[in-house]
Amino acid sequence: MRRRALAGLIAAALGLGMLWFGQLANALPLGSVAVSGIGGLTVVVGLEYLRRRRGTLRNTADVDPPEPGYRSTVPGEDVDADLAAGGAEGAERRSQIRHRLREVTAEVLVANGGYRPEGARQAVDDGTWTDDEVAAGYLAEPMKIPPRLQVRQLFRRRSTTRVFVRHTLDALREVRGGR
């Protein structure tokens, strides 16, 4: 094996030398017989390589199993479950959503609306933080739902809380300047 590697190294060096120095190629008397001999030798070496590889199995790389899939959480995914919940537990969850929205609204009013923290909480309690009467009434303390919306929701299948949340989020987006 070492002899073959040494012969290959010498042949490669000779070939590179001929590429860089054209006079080296002219110095060696290579006629058609020599070129045919080198070509035949190349074929023999290639066939020998194939003969040795013929009976062996292909080696494949051993790879680690892929990482287990990780499902990342989607912001607001828990809110959808809370809105869909029914019964006494659902009422408690929807109440938690309302309180979370009240906190977020106060924070947004301080950050983007030019309110001081006390003024923001007071504006949310009074319902004066937005022109949207549905969002303002939903977050007001106590909650003030417009009568026309109460009547309209009696004949719709959509959750009233979902409508309130949608209006509140739209009003918050407006306070934030469309972001």
Side-chain angles (χ1 to χ4, degrees):
M1 180 82 165
R2 289 185 155 204
R3 290 182 191 165
R4 287 185 193 167
L6 184 61
L9 185 63
I10 291 171
L14 190 60
L16 287 173
M18 286 184 191
L19 283 175
W20 276 317
F21 306 107
Q23 295 84 9
L24 184 60
N26 292 336
L28 295 174
L30 296 175
S32 63
V33 175
V35 171
S36 297
I38 291 172
L41 181 64
T42 304
V43 170
V44 168
V45 170
L47 289 174
E48 171 65 16
Y49 176 76
L50 286 175
R51 184 191 64 77
R52 277 193 285 139
R53 289 290 297 170
R54 186 174 181 192
T56 60
L57 296 174
R58 286 189 170 181
N59 292 334
T60 58
D62 292 331
V63 295
D64 293 332
E67 293 181 20
Y70 178 75
R71 187 176 178 278
S72 62
T73 59
V74 176
E77 188 174 33
D78 59 329
V79 175
D80 288 339
D82 291 345
L83 288 173
E89 181 181 323
E92 177 63 29
R93 290 169 130 182
R94 288 188 294 277
S95 175
Q96 289 172 354
I97 290 173
R98 181 173 174 262
H99 290 295
R100 281 176 31 199
L101 277 173
R102 285 173 51 83
E103 292 171 12
V104 168
T105 302
E107 291 172 9
V108 169
L109 289 175
V110 169
N112 299 93
Y115 285 83
R116 292 195 171 275
E118 306 82 30
R121 277 188 235 102
Q122 187 62 40
V124 172
D125 286 343
D126 297 344
T128 59
W129 65 276
T130 182
D131 293 335
D132 186 339
E133 63 181 6
V134 175
Y138 176 59
L139 298 184
E141 197 59 53
M143 192 184 314
K144 303 171 194 163
I145 301 168
R148 65 176 170 76
L149 181 64
Q150 289 176 344
V151 172
R152 191 180 326 153
Q153 285 305 115
L154 288 175
F155 302 106
R156 289 191 176 167
R157 291 185 171 199
R158 284 190 296 180
S159 162
T160 306
T161 306
R162 284 185 188 270
V163 173
F164 295 150
V165 169
R166 184 177 45 86
H167 275 270
T168 304
L169 293 177
D170 289 343
L172 282 173
R173 214 172 281 119
E174 187 177 308
V175 169
R176 290 184 65 202
R179 288 183 279 154

